[in-house]
Amino acid sequence: MAERHDVVIIGAGPAGLAAAIYAARARLRTLVLDESIPGGQVKTTHKVSNYPGFAQDVEGAALAAAFAAQAQRFGADVRRAVEITKHDLASPVKTLELDEEETVEARAVIVATGARPRPLGVPGEDVFKGRGLSYCATCDGAYFEGKDIHVIGGGNSAVEESLFLTQFARTVTIVHQFQEFQAEPASAQEALAHPKIRVLFGHEPRAFHGEKALERLEVEDLRTHERKQLRTDGVFVFIGMVPRTELLAPYLELEPGGYVETTDGMETKIPGLYVAGDLRVKRFRQITTAVADGTVAALAAQKYLRAG
């Protein structure tokens, strides 16, 4: 027998947990599924400075835990480390097989699976993942105490995470393809003034080299096309995100870049199927916009369920 719910939310980031808070508070039987622990990208962010309600910076992990605790307080069942092994999201009653062991059903499903770090796609990247190459400063920064490391990117994430990494590393060299940062001016100025941070503008990574672990980063000067290998103890990559829409690909036509088009109510063309958060087509992707998406999706799902 399949376990029946009113709404199943796939993804426990800010969008998914906001949806869970609203759905559970409306007394809908709410199940939240995540392949990891709740929090999405927020849980790997060392500090959040622009989320309303906090006069001081808040640790990303603490904010994520608060979101999850609030959803559970209202009765949402939040399950972690769950793999969806089969799914039918097109039928009036949607079904999901979990870990090849159990099946859950719901008339409404909200997909809020977010995004993953965008890979560079250069030689050696797959070889050195977890062996000196990382996409998460909060996860791995402490392993580089007193080391000389490099950061790839020049947007907000790259610059802010570089500042975070200075508390561990001896030096942090930012490698950026343009001649100036794309980050917010305040963060960019702080990075440029930091004694531990060096910047290599106008360069792009071309390969990673090493024996058992990463030892050298190969870069190209975009002006002269000269290539050189930089000695490094580790590299962190922050060049944007890729939407995690694999679950939706069999059911929906994806926009260029892999994003999903929805209505203002987070609805898709399939009745009862909603999409919220960073995998939607939208102009800005912030914690606050993800929370707003989750709120709207839950309210729309509530209206749909009570109409039928």
Side-chain angles (χ1 to χ4, degrees):
M1 292 287 293
E3 185 179 337
R4 193 70 179 263
H5 298 267
D6 294 314
V7 58
V8 173
I9 300 166
I10 305 171
L17 291 172
I21 290 167
Y22 273 79
R25 196 164 182 268
R27 298 190 178 182
L28 298 177
R29 189 177 183 191
T30 304
L31 174 65
V32 183
L33 306 173
D34 198 276
E35 66 178 12
S36 179
I37 61 175
Q41 296 175 52
V42 175
K43 68 176 178 283
T44 63
T45 302
H46 71 279
K47 68 176 181 179
V48 177
S49 304
N50 55 1
Y51 193 78
F54 295 88
Q56 304 297 323
D57 294 345
V58 58
E59 290 185 2
L63 184 60
F67 286 160
Q70 190 173 4
Q72 290 172 310
R73 180 166 69 89
F74 289 122
D77 180 4
V78 181
R79 300 187 193 176
R80 60 186 67 191
V82 174
E83 181 184 1
I84 297 172
T85 45
K86 288 183 183 177
H87 48 83
D88 175 7
L89 302 182
S91 300
V93 175
K94 288 109 176 65
T95 59
L96 297 159
E97 182 188 80
L98 311 180
D99 299 320
E100 299 182 340
E101 293 179 353
E102 63 174 312
T103 301
V104 297
E105 296 178 343
R107 286 181 53 221
V109 169
I110 299 171
V111 180
T113 43
R116 63 168 62 87
R118 183 182 300 280
L120 286 163
V122 303
E125 185 172 15
D126 290 338
V127 174
F128 294 108
K129 283 180 182 176
R131 298 167 56 196
L133 177 61
S134 174
Y135 302 84
C136 178
T138 306
C139 309
D140 300 326
Y143 296 116
F144 295 89
E145 184 79 41
K147 304 293 186 179
D148 298 310
I149 63 175
H150 290 73
V151 169
I152 310 299
N156 286 323
S157 294
V159 171
E160 291 170 5
E161 300 301 337
S162 293
L163 289 165
F164 169 73
L165 288 165
T166 59
Q167 66 182 294
F168 306 108
R170 181 172 62 180
T171 64
V172 177
T173 301
I174 302 176
V175 179
H176 187 37
Q177 60 182 323
F178 300 121
Q179 293 299 328
E180 60 181 24
F181 289 131
Q182 274 62 60
E184 295 176 354
S187 297
Q189 291 171 11
E190 185 179 354
L192 290 170
H194 199 288
K196 284 190 174 183
I197 292 180
R198 305 165 183 173
V199 185
L200 194 59
F201 286 122
H203 285 71
E204 280 189 344
R206 290 292 178 256
F208 298 100
H209 302 280
E211 297 299 328
K212 294 182 178 180
L214 178 60
E215 297 172 354
R216 299 178 307 281
L217 167 64
E218 183 177 334
V219 299
E220 179 180 344
D221 186 321
L222 298 181
R223 183 178 59 84
T224 66
H225 300 293
E226 176 191 1
R227 291 198 182 194
K228 52 190 172 184
Q229 294 191 19
L230 310 176
R231 177 73 181 86
T232 189
D233 294 311
V235 174
F236 289 80
V237 179
F238 304 106
I239 58 167
M241 309 296 289
V242 178
R244 306 188 63 173
T245 49
E246 298 89 348
L247 190 69
L248 295 167
Y251 309 101
L252 302 173
E253 184 177 347
L254 304 179
E255 294 297 307
Y259 294 94
V260 181
E261 188 78 58
T262 71
T263 68
D264 290 344
M266 308 300 131
E267 298 138 324
T268 69
K269 68 178 184 180
I270 298 174
L273 179 62
Y274 304 84
V275 171
D278 284 0
L279 67 170
R280 286 184 62 231
V281 173
K282 56 181 180 178
R283 186 174 181 182
F284 300 112
R285 293 179 175 83
Q286 298 287 309
I287 302 173
T288 47
T289 63
V291 167
D293 284 359
T295 301
V296 173
L299 293 173
Q302 179 184 346
K303 183 177 179 180
Y304 169 77
L305 291 169
R306 291 184 174 167

